[in-house]
Amino acid sequence: MKVPVPAHIGSIVLVLPLLLAVLQTATAQKNGIQIYSLTVDSKVSSRFAHTVVTSRVVNRAEEAQEAIFEMELPKKAFITNFSMIIDGVTYPGNIKEKATAQKQYSEAVARGESAGLVKAIGRKMEQFQVSVSVAPAAKVTFELVYEELLKRHLGVYELLLKVRPQQVVKHLQMDIHIFEPQGISFLETESSFMTNELADALTVSQNKTKAHILFKPTLSQQQKSPGQQDTVLDGNFIVRYDVNRTLSGGSIQIANGYFVHYFAPEGLPTMPKNVVFVIDKSGSMSGRKIQQTREALIKILSDLGPKDQFNLITFSSEVTQWKPQLVPASTENVDEAKRYAAGIYALGGTNINEAMLTAVRRLKSDNQAELLSEGSVSLIILLTDGDPTVGETNPRKIQKNVQEAIDGQYSLFCLGFGFDVSYAFLEKMALDNGGLARRIYEDSDSALQLQDFYQEVANPLLTTVAFQYPSNAVEEVTQDNFRLLFKGSEMVVAGKLQDKSPDVLSAIVKGKMHKQNVTFQTKSSVAKQEEEFQSPKYIFHNFMERLWAYLTIQQQLEQMVSASEAESQVLKDRALNLSLEYNFVTPLTSMVVTKPEGQEQSQVAEKPVEDDNRHRNINTGYDLSRYGIGLQGSRTTGYRSGYPRRRGFSKQAPPLLPSDPHKSLLHGMEIQNKGPVVTIAPPSAPIQAPPVLLTLPGPSMDRLCVNIKHSQEPMNLLSDPDQGIQVTGQYNTEKACFHWIEVTFKNPQVRVHASPEHVVVTRNRRNSAYKWKETLYSVLPGLKMTMNKTGLLMLSGPDKVTISLLSLDDPRKGLLLLLRDTDHFSSHVNGTLGQFYQDVLWETPEGADDNKRLLKVQGKDYSATRELKLDYQEGPPGKEISCWSVEL
């Protein structure tokens, strides 16, 4: 008998709140394993997502083949079911207490089998994998189910699907239903594989409370080229949304005898805060880590509010305070702090204990001296990349020292940079003191990760928040006391209604806001709510009860970190019982996957914990998914500035004859008169793209190529208040391109900052980074952002000017700016480039030929010359055009 050849038949990832689903089939069809159906069915009911992934495969080979089902799911998600149907027989996954499954796990390891089915991968995901031998012509159906409560992050819930079938699939469908009784306030989609050809495979419909997103491409739409099995589906598909809110006690939703209470009131003012930044500058932080820390810190300092106070503490073997006390975030103090941050260099050991105690003493001393604002919030933010090596080095003793020093007065947030630091150590220290821990991954976007974390805690709205319900109405309520509510987040409380509960469930939420106590009230009709959750298309069975169980388990697992030994055991027992009752794979349970007789009899799926990854290669922790790069390696498509290179040849000159119909001469070519014969020689230098290409309004669609000769400072390139668009940038006169360009839209409120390294899109204080030449297709209300494999980023919308940005490769290494649809500019447009869309007077200088003009713009005269340039409006390699060249 021949040994079965392994074939990846599917990998589907749905990340929730980054609800992420990966559909992958590596070299499946080559080995005879063909996926003929692949579906993702995700129902999001009141933030709780229930996802079913179904993959149907057939073995087309004449011999048995090994089919590998592989998927990724979010670390916060709980698998609830997995099964394989082979020849009509169902082989289920059975969830058991981890200790019970351990024997089977150990026996499999002893046999040399790969027993572990789940491993941590990337920043927010876990990988699930199971294999089975498939007989010739046999069919197998894999089905996996998992659930998660979507968490609100900087004002948005995010649903992300990664699509990578690697072969065309006859029936491929993603079907997402969202039901939010509060009402959906906005909905947007984004994709890194969508093109205009795929646009009609996607349908999005929405009413007040429901949204339906369906992606169902045909076989021909999936194909890279006709007749081929290679697919264009390779990347991310994202849905983002939020719900309607008011300044009230929140929304209580009720179904099947359980309730959930969401609290995130709108319109609350931000409380002033006192922030002590504790920055590790030990030797291990040298290089890119300290450079990115400086970059992030300088940006964070710019975001401090005028009523905030702050200080900087740096530490290695020794501890240094920037100032002897916290100082107001005035322009003068912030600028001085930025200069200090720019001079932080890495050297020495890691004295975490003394650094933390210094930060606490600083806050206590300033508070006793009445230097801190009454009603302000005090935060300590620690950034470190390693374990303690100087002073007190026992992690438990440091945790004890810090907790005793803080004594519940301040909140501590711990950021672990990379994988050389014990995350468990930082997590316990943060949770002991009312904060949270976050890992910062070493990558090109580390500075953005730091900035995003700060934005999460930058705007405290309430402190000491307590939820109260009538004692005769509810029982088994989840956590109902919270230290801090931040802008853009959401507090969630769930519980069970008593058998004889009132017809109306009321709630009181109390908290402190600046200098006063505040109380919010809300109520909800049980009968009305029960009726609202009856639509079977959007609701899955007992979702509210499962939401309550999920939230209870997650909170108990977190509470175990900082609980005493006796309390921890009680929490563990309850979480284990709920995990078994509701069939959740949690850190306390395992799933045993059974197989047909004659194969490995079982495999065991266990949920990894965060520090399982501590000493792995850091590269494997790079979340390539956010840039649309595959787990099995990335592919790049590139271009050279100017013209493409061909093997064995130098740069190719473009065609000599212009293609532009309105060109009046062969400009840029030397006409040499050698007697009776006239010869045309190619230009002495290759034709280049201008740094700025403006399409002029009017029927002629003429182009203006702008070169900027005298500018070092950031420039206001154009601003149109009627369009709600502003474009700024910094120009590099030596390379004739831009260092950076920033485009700001008023509606929707979006900022796009482009540099040669990447594009950063900011919305609601949330940053998303995209690498150049990774396909992007994002549709927001009133704005579409697209980027193709050539690296051309286009920003467009109904009745909007189209703004395109392009990142050049070496040697220029900078950005180009291109404008079209410029007839949408209003009469109020202004700026260095905007002036050319005001009243422009064209004159022909006396004695000049048809290729010379004089432009009179707002009292200034500019000489314009008709020249041959490259137009990148459709991306590289570009096409030759004739344009009017102007120097500013």
Side-chain angles (χ1 to χ4, degrees):
M1 176 180 174
K2 293 185 178 180
V3 178
V5 180
H8 285 71
I9 57 80
S11 165
I12 302 181
V13 177
L14 280 167
V15 166
L16 314 168
L18 300 163
L19 178 65
L20 183 147
V22 170
L23 318 175
Q24 178 178 354
T25 58
T27 53
Q29 205 159 23
K30 295 178 185 176
N31 298 324
I33 299 294
Q34 178 189 8
I35 302 177
Y36 61 90
S37 176
L38 190 54
T39 63
V40 178
D41 181 18
S42 185
K43 290 182 170 63
V44 183
S45 305
S46 187
R47 282 66 137 193
F48 193 62
H50 173 90
T51 302
V52 181
V53 177
T54 307
S55 178
R56 293 181 170 87
V57 306
V58 61
N59 182 8
R60 301 291 189 194
E62 296 180 356
E63 57 188 28
Q65 301 287 331
E66 184 181 28
I68 302 172
F69 177 82
E70 183 181 275
M71 60 152 292
E72 296 170 29
L73 68 157
K75 292 177 181 177
K76 291 291 186 182
F78 291 157
I79 293 173
T80 68
N81 187 43
F82 175 76
S83 64
M84 297 182 291
I85 303 174
I86 306 172
D87 294 330
V89 180
T90 300
Y91 298 88
N94 299 311
I95 295 176
K96 302 178 179 181
E97 183 181 356
K98 183 168 281 190
T100 305
Q102 189 62 40
K103 183 180 178 183
Q104 289 171 289
Y105 182 88
S106 301
E107 289 174 351
V109 172
R111 292 194 302 268
E113 297 172 358
S114 178
L117 296 182
V118 183
K119 63 181 180 180
I121 187 168
R123 297 181 184 180
K124 299 174 181 177
M125 291 170 282
E126 294 166 354
Q127 186 182 73
F128 174 92
Q129 186 183 90
V130 67
S131 62
V132 65
S133 180
V134 185
K139 294 182 178 180
V140 180
T141 297
F142 298 90
E143 183 177 276
L144 182 130
V145 184
Y146 60 89
E147 296 173 343
E148 184 178 11
L149 180 65
L150 301 186
K151 185 177 181 181
R152 191 168 184 245
H153 174 71
L154 293 175
V156 71
Y157 307 100
E158 187 169 278
L159 183 78
L160 166 62
L161 296 87
K162 178 178 282 185
V163 185
R164 189 174 293 118
Q166 296 195 10
Q167 63 168 270
V168 295
V169 179
K170 185 176 181 181
H171 177 234
L172 189 151
Q173 176 175 300
M174 298 175 220
D175 201 9
I176 303 164
H177 290 274
I178 301 172
F179 175 51
E180 291 291 350
Q182 286 176 252
I184 299 172
S185 61
F186 80 87
L187 180 79
E188 62 187 46
T189 62
E190 175 183 315
S191 171
S192 63
F193 62 83
M194 288 286 292
T195 60
N196 290 329
E197 289 73 24
L198 275 169
D200 63 355
L202 174 68
T203 57
V204 180
S205 57
Q206 177 190 349
N207 60 24
K208 182 180 178 182
T209 60
K210 297 176 183 178
H212 180 212
I213 300 98
L214 176 66
F215 179 66
K216 192 175 181 180
T218 63
L219 279 172
S220 60
Q221 285 176 317
Q222 296 176 50
Q223 292 172 334
K224 279 189 175 178
S225 56
Q228 287 194 359
Q229 292 301 310
D230 292 337
T231 178
V232 298
L233 305 184
D234 185 356
N236 301 330
F237 182 80
I238 305 168
V239 179
R240 297 188 183 97
Y241 77 95
D242 197 16
V243 301
N244 295 321
R245 303 172 196 281
T246 59
L247 184 59
S248 70
S251 173
I252 298 177
Q253 298 166 24
I254 303 167
N256 296 324
Y258 287 80
F259 78 92
V260 62
H261 185 177
Y262 294 109
F263 181 71
E266 282 288 291
L268 294 178
T270 298
M271 299 174 66
K273 60 185 181 294
N274 315 301
V275 192
V276 179
F277 299 97
V278 184
I279 307 298
D280 184 348
K281 62 168 186 175
S282 59
S284 58
M285 285 283 290
S286 62
R288 188 162 73 160
K289 281 196 282 191
I290 199 68
Q291 177 186 343
Q292 292 175 321
T293 299
R294 289 195 298 260
E295 177 187 337
L297 191 54
I298 288 170
K299 180 68 171 65
I300 287 169
L301 289 168
S302 299
D303 292 336
L304 288 169
K307 297 182 180 179
D308 294 339
Q309 298 191 82
F310 73 104
N311 204 347
L312 306 175
I313 292 177
T314 57
F315 70 96
S316 52
S317 302
E318 304 294 330
V319 178
T320 304
Q321 295 187 65
W322 170 57
K323 293 289 186 182
Q325 62 192 39
L326 274 75
V327 298
S330 64
T331 302
E332 183 181 352
N333 287 333
V334 167
D335 288 345
E336 185 182 345
K338 288 180 181 178
R339 291 191 293 272
Y340 179 83
I344 297 175
Y345 293 95
L347 184 68
T350 308
N351 193 344
I352 293 177
N353 186 71
E354 185 57 31
M356 288 304 305
L357 296 182
T358 300
V360 178
R361 287 194 293 263
R362 178 75 280 131
L363 283 170
K364 282 190 173 180
S365 175
D366 287 6
N367 191 39
Q368 290 169 357
E370 298 183 351
L371 298 175
L372 307 182
S373 303
E374 184 184 353
S376 58
V377 176
S378 295
L379 312 175
I380 300 172
I381 299 178
L382 167 68
L383 172 66
T384 181
D385 78 328
D387 293 339
T389 61
V390 176
E392 180 57 68
T393 58
N394 184 312
R396 290 191 177 183
K397 193 125 186 227
I398 295 173
Q399 290 165 341
K400 183 172 181 290
N401 291 344
V402 172
Q403 186 175 16
E404 289 177 351
I406 289 180
D407 193 26
Q409 299 300 304
Y410 318 118
S411 294
L412 170 62
F413 299 89
C414 297
L415 304 177
F417 207 142
F419 282 91
D420 292 329
V421 62
S422 169
Y423 185 82
F425 162 63
L426 294 181
E427 182 181 41
K428 176 169 172 54
M429 194 158 62
L431 293 175
D432 283 347
N433 298 284
L436 56 86
R438 181 74 50 83
R439 192 187 297 282
I440 302 299
Y441 292 83
E442 287 187 65
D443 206 347
S444 60
D445 71 334
S446 296
L448 282 177
Q449 295 177 55
L450 290 167
Q451 291 170 37
D452 270 0
F453 172 81
Y454 173 75
Q455 287 298 334
E456 289 183 53
V457 300
N459 296 284
L461 304 177
L462 292 172
T463 65
T464 322
V465 183
F467 291 72
Q468 298 175 3
Y469 307 95
S471 58
N472 66 337
V474 300
E475 59 189 8
E476 298 190 60
V477 177
T478 60
Q479 179 182 343
D480 55 9
N481 283 271
F482 303 87
R483 184 175 289 196
L484 284 167
L485 172 67
F486 293 103
K487 183 178 181 179
S489 67
E490 183 174 61
M491 289 178 173
V492 186
V493 179
K496 185 177 181 181
L497 298 181
Q498 294 185 14
D499 291 339
K500 296 182 179 180
S501 62
D503 294 335
V504 175
L505 177 60
S506 60
I508 295 174
V509 184
K510 294 184 176 181
K512 293 182 179 179
M513 183 174 66
H514 200 27
K515 300 177 183 180
Q516 60 183 343
N517 295 323
V518 291
T519 300
F520 302 88
Q521 293 183 326
T522 190
K523 60 184 178 180
S524 188
S525 166
V526 175
K528 185 178 178 181
Q529 285 288 311
E530 292 275 9
E531 182 182 348
E532 195 160 19
F533 286 102
Q534 294 305 311
S535 173
K537 189 174 182 180
Y538 284 78
I539 309 302
F540 52 93
H541 183 62
N542 286 344
F543 90 94
M544 193 73 78
E545 181 179 353
R546 297 188 66 81
L547 185 161
W548 164 81
Y550 172 94
L551 185 59
T552 301
I553 294 168
Q554 288 282 25
Q555 290 179 350
Q556 289 171 345
L557 291 172
E558 185 176 283
Q559 290 162 9
M560 285 170 58
V561 174
S562 56
S564 66
E565 189 173 340
E567 292 171 335
S568 182
Q569 187 60 48
V570 172
L571 291 166
K572 179 180 178 181
D573 290 344
R574 184 157 188 240
L576 172 60
N577 291 335
L578 283 174
S579 299
L580 294 171
E581 181 181 353
Y582 290 93
N583 225 49
F584 286 137
V585 178
T586 71
L588 305 176
T589 57
S590 300
M591 182 173 67
V592 180
V593 178
T594 57
K595 294 187 179 182
E597 188 176 351
Q599 301 190 35
E600 294 176 15
Q601 282 305 293
S602 62
Q603 287 181 291
V604 180
E606 295 187 342
K607 194 167 185 65
V609 295
E610 176 68 31
D611 251 27
D612 283 354
N613 304 325
R614 183 173 176 198
H615 298 297
R616 67 180 175 175
N617 184 319
I618 288 178
N619 286 335
T620 64
Y622 175 20
D623 183 13
L624 299 167
S625 67
R626 74 182 293 173
Y627 300 111
I629 299 174
L631 298 172
Q632 299 180 1
S634 63
R635 296 172 301 160
T636 59
T637 57
Y639 68 90
R640 307 294 298 179
S641 177
Y643 314 102
R645 287 190 184 275
R646 298 180 183 176
R647 189 169 298 172
F649 294 89
S650 60
K651 283 190 176 181
Q652 304 277 315
L656 297 179
L657 292 175
S659 56
D660 198 301
H662 64 261
K663 260 189 277 198
S664 59
L665 85 165
L666 301 176
H667 193 84
M669 303 177 185
E670 299 175 13
I671 300 179
Q672 301 172 357
N673 188 350
K674 297 181 179 180
V677 179
V678 177
T679 61
I680 301 175
S684 57
I687 299 172
Q688 287 193 330
V692 178
L693 179 61
L694 308 179
T695 302
L696 299 177
S700 69
M701 296 296 288
D702 220 337
R703 266 83 44 111
L704 199 65
C705 294
V706 181
N707 194 16
I708 302 168
K709 286 295 186 182
H710 309 288
S711 175
Q712 298 297 328
E713 298 300 319
M715 307 168 63
N716 174 27
L717 297 172
L718 66 88
S719 178
D720 189 336
D722 294 5
Q723 280 269 300
I725 295 175
Q726 182 171 21
V727 182
T728 56
Q730 187 166 23
Y731 192 74
N732 184 335
T733 54
E734 293 181 5
K735 293 185 176 182
C737 54
F738 288 91
H739 285 298
W740 57 263
I741 295 173
E742 187 167 282
V743 185
T744 304
F745 296 91
K746 186 177 181 181
N747 187 23
Q749 292 187 353
V750 175
R751 185 175 72 244
V752 180
H753 184 93
S755 67
E757 290 72 37
H758 55 213
V759 177
V760 178
V761 179
T762 303
R763 184 169 190 193
N764 295 331
R765 301 174 293 118
R766 173 177 43 85
N767 296 311
S768 298
Y770 306 94
K771 290 187 175 179
W772 292 101
K773 302 180 187 177
E774 294 294 341
T775 307
L776 171 66
Y777 191 96
S778 176
V779 181
L780 290 71
L783 178 65
K784 182 165 78 171
M785 296 185 288
T786 64
M787 181 160 58
N788 59 25
K789 292 290 186 181
T790 67
L792 180 69
L793 175 68
M794 295 180 65
L795 311 172
S796 61
D799 302 320
K800 275 190 171 68
V801 176
T802 297
I803 301 171
S804 298
L805 307 177
L806 182 70
S807 178
L808 297 172
D809 284 344
D810 291 330
R812 288 172 79 177
K813 197 69 176 176
L815 303 175
L816 304 183
L817 172 65
L818 309 100
L819 300 182
R820 66 182 184 193
D821 301 320
T822 53
D823 53 325
H824 292 308
F825 275 131
S826 75
S827 59
H828 299 110
V829 64
N830 59 77
T832 303
L833 304 177
Q835 63 178 325
F836 293 104
Y837 296 96
Q838 292 287 356
D839 294 328
V840 177
L841 183 63
W842 293 77
E843 293 183 357
T844 302
E846 188 176 348
D849 59 28
D850 289 342
N851 301 293
K852 298 286 185 182
R853 289 288 187 277
L854 185 67
L855 271 69
K856 293 182 175 292
V857 183
Q858 296 184 338
K860 297 180 182 178
D861 292 351
Y862 297 100
S863 296
T865 304
R866 176 75 79 177
E867 292 183 355
L868 196 62
K869 296 288 186 181
L870 275 181
D871 178 8
Y872 282 153
Q873 290 276 17
E874 304 300 328
K879 67 176 181 180
E880 295 169 31
I881 62 164
S882 170
C883 69
W884 292 105
S885 187
V886 173
E887 287 188 356
L888 302 183

